[in-house]
Amino acid sequence: MCVGRAGGNVSGTAGRADRAEDGADDGAPRRPDPARTSAPPARRGAVVAALMLAMALAALDGTVVSTAVPQIVGDLGGLSVFSWLFAGYLLAVTVTLPVYGKLSDTFGRKPVLVAGIVLFLVGSLLCAAAWSMTSLIAFRVVQGLGGGALQGTVQTLAADLYPLKERPRIQARLSTVWATSSVAGPALGGLLAGYADWRWIFLVNLPVGAVALYLVVRHLTEPARARAKARVDWPGALAVFTTGALLLTALVQGGVAWPWLSPPSLALFAGAAVLTAVTVRIERRAAEPIIPGWVWRRRTIAAVNLSLGALGLLMVAPTVFLPTYAQSVLGLGPVAAGFVLSAMTLSWPISAAFSNRVYARIGFRLTAVTGMSLAVLVLLAFPLLPYPGEPWQPALLMLLLGGALGLFQLPLIVGVQSTVPWAERGTTTASVLFCRQVGQSVGAALFGAVANAVLATRLTEGGLDDPAALTPRAVDAAVEYVHIGAAAAGALALLALLTLAPRRFPVLTTDDDGPTA
């Protein structure tokens, strides 16, 4: 699905990467970028504030609905399909990431970000006005269509606005916003649904999004660039969207809405395989493919794509299964269980913020390898926790895991963005985020199957046939196996980096002019 022919005309990129990433100065451009250094700090600060607000919107709406489901179902009905409130948003965000990445490289970041914010706010307003579960799911998809633009374009603009040495700082801020918003989402949703009305979950997006929109329109200016008449590969965009929708629907709903080997699952996987072949054919013939082949032909980008895909898969273990473990095994309430997980969100941005001091000395690849190696050790330590144990024990592991993954993810994103010029940065950023999102969907399906298999085995061994009779021991065993699987995913990320990524990333010596603020 991710193969295209139109990468040939960008082979000059490698030629412009005159020197590879240098451990002494982390590959930062030697010549200052006038578009950046002349920008008034106050205006750039306003744009950064807008990016953080936009990131908060996208992160919050991925989790904010979870604790309001009882109120939503009680009002609208549709209990049998409520899971699509999450799946619909996830699908729309994931499959539109590569499309928005290409559009931002073609038309610029600002129009794509503005369109994404507007679409997200329209979706939020429609969600608040939903009259049935079907309409709410449809409007959540509209929200996701805007959320895809927010995720990819915010990350790309962060790289455009700052030179290489300063990018860890802004990326760490965005990581903090993302982590905090994701963890705070369920609590905020529960408060609004319990003390106001579930519709306020979507209405609160309007003032926040309006401020972000104003700041972007008012303060972000992109320099004019001479380029050929823009050609958008709309058939390729439709093919990518449809293929991704079928594949992710099969992964999200398989084993939940229907058995894995049932006709719906088999039909969806078969359809996705056929459409993948069609997409490859379309993209090979397109002059400006949505997912150009060079994102896989270049070793650095391919290695980062695969590594962040493995990270997405790995992250399912703590974010999905740890809260269940904390409540079922440790006997904690929902709020306390959330605090166990939130330990990871404390150390991750701090580690990411200081990662530039590490990769300035040892390089992007070795920094990421070090971080993931530590993460694998932490994940393998989880099954060694005593039963039932104390809450501080898994919290400590999450604190260590966040620190390790901060060393892993941010150097890869900063590094891969620094190997491409402005005209390819949106596509590159979108490709790595797309792979991470797909990894999360695969991880949810795979680890869900692992956990269900372990629980079913424990039920059989105990002579039980009622899932409600599951013991904390059974949940403990299931979560242990899931974390072992997550460690295996981490090993795959290490394998991709060690076998595909060059020892030194081919960082460009100068950046194209970025946007001013």
Side-chain angles (χ1 to χ4, degrees):
M1 183 175 68
C2 297
V3 179
R5 187 177 57 188
N9 62 352
V10 296
S11 58
T13 299
R16 300 201 312 181
D18 300 326
R19 65 179 175 85
E21 161 205 354
D22 189 335
D25 62 0
D26 75 11
R30 293 174 179 172
R31 177 175 63 83
D33 184 347
R36 291 194 180 99
T37 55
S38 62
R43 295 188 66 193
R44 188 166 69 172
V47 174
V48 170
L51 298 184
M52 295 174 72
L53 290 174
M55 181 67 77
L57 288 175
L60 271 174
D61 274 74
T63 59
V64 72
V65 177
S66 59
T67 47
V69 167
Q71 289 80 6
I72 295 174
V73 171
D75 190 11
L76 301 180
L79 178 62
S80 60
V81 295
F82 83 88
S83 62
W84 276 99
L85 291 176
F86 315 100
Y89 182 84
L90 171 67
L91 290 172
V93 168
T94 303
V95 300
T96 55
L97 274 169
V99 177
Y100 285 126
K102 184 62 180 180
L103 291 178
S104 73
D105 284 342
T106 303
F107 298 107
R109 323 300 189 210
K110 184 175 181 177
V112 173
L113 182 58
V114 168
I117 295 175
V118 170
L119 191 56
F120 186 89
L121 295 181
V122 169
S124 298
L125 186 60
L126 291 173
C127 285
W131 58 89
S132 67
M133 183 63 74
T134 301
S135 64
L136 180 57
I137 291 171
F139 298 148
R140 282 282 285 172
V141 172
V142 175
Q143 258 195 323
L145 296 177
L150 298 185
Q151 283 199 32
T153 312
V154 164
Q155 295 276 13
T156 305
L157 264 172
D160 290 346
L161 284 168
Y162 287 86
L164 179 58
K165 285 186 176 180
E166 296 182 38
R167 284 176 194 162
R169 184 176 62 184
I170 179 61
Q171 293 286 5
R173 291 181 186 175
L174 294 176
S175 296
T176 302
V177 170
W178 181 270
T180 303
S181 300
S182 298
V183 173
L188 177 61
L191 287 173
L192 291 174
Y195 294 98
D197 186 274
W198 64 265
R199 298 179 190 273
W200 281 100
I201 290 174
F202 305 105
L203 291 175
V204 294
N205 292 334
L206 301 181
V208 177
V211 172
L213 183 62
Y214 169 78
L215 292 175
V216 169
V217 172
R218 178 71 176 82
H219 296 288
L220 178 62
T221 303
E222 292 187 291
R225 289 179 174 82
R227 56 164 64 92
K229 183 179 179 180
R231 291 179 294 178
V232 180
D233 176 26
W234 294 116
L238 179 61
V240 169
F241 186 93
T242 308
T243 303
L246 283 183
L247 177 60
L248 292 177
T249 300
L251 292 172
V252 170
Q253 295 298 102
V256 179
W258 47 68
W260 283 109
L261 297 180
S262 65
S265 276
L266 296 178
L268 285 170
F269 280 118
V274 171
L275 282 177
T276 297
V278 172
T279 302
V280 170
R281 184 176 181 85
I282 292 174
E283 295 294 82
R284 282 184 178 276
R285 295 185 173 186
E288 296 288 341
I290 292 296
I291 305 182
W294 53 260
V295 301
W296 291 106
R297 287 196 296 269
R298 298 181 193 173
R299 290 176 55 197
T300 303
I301 302 176
V304 174
N305 281 342
L306 295 174
S307 298
L308 288 188
L311 173 65
L313 196 155
L314 175 159
M315 284 300 297
V316 172
T319 57
V320 175
F321 292 93
L322 187 63
T324 301
Y325 170 88
Q327 294 180 69
S328 300
V329 178
L330 302 180
L332 302 178
V335 175
F339 278 115
V340 172
L341 176 60
S342 66
M344 182 173 62
T345 69
L346 298 176
S347 56
W348 189 318
I350 295 174
S351 173
F354 286 96
S355 66
N356 65 321
R357 300 188 180 184
V358 181
Y359 68 65
R361 292 180 177 273
I362 64 176
F364 291 119
R365 188 184 78 157
L366 188 53
T367 301
V369 167
T370 301
M372 183 52 74
S373 298
L374 294 173
V376 169
L377 293 177
V378 172
L379 291 166
L380 289 176
F382 190 90
L384 303 179
L385 292 179
Y387 176 86
E390 298 293 333
W392 67 265
Q393 294 166 332
L396 176 61
L397 290 185
M398 290 303 102
L399 193 70
L400 296 175
L401 183 63
L405 294 180
L407 284 178
F408 172 77
Q409 176 177 265
L410 189 129
L412 291 183
I413 292 179
V414 172
V416 78
Q417 288 177 331
S418 304
T419 65
V420 294
W422 183 96
E424 297 173 2
R425 193 173 290 150
T427 299
T428 300
T429 303
S431 74
V432 299
L433 296 179
F434 174 77
C435 289
R436 189 181 66 183
Q437 289 283 111
V438 171
Q440 288 178 334
S441 299
V442 173
L446 177 62
F447 292 145
V450 170
N452 289 338
V454 174
L455 293 174
T457 300
R458 292 304 175 104
L459 276 173
T460 303
E461 291 175 352
L464 302 172
D465 57 6
D466 179 11
L470 284 174
T471 64
R473 281 282 188 183
V475 175
D476 178 65
V479 177
E480 286 181 357
Y481 276 99
V482 166
H483 278 78
I484 293 173
L492 292 177
L494 289 174
L495 182 64
L497 287 175
L498 294 174
T499 58
L500 292 178
R503 188 175 65 88
R504 296 289 182 183
F505 281 22
V507 174
L508 298 182
T509 56
T510 59
D511 285 343
D512 292 349
D513 287 346
T516 59

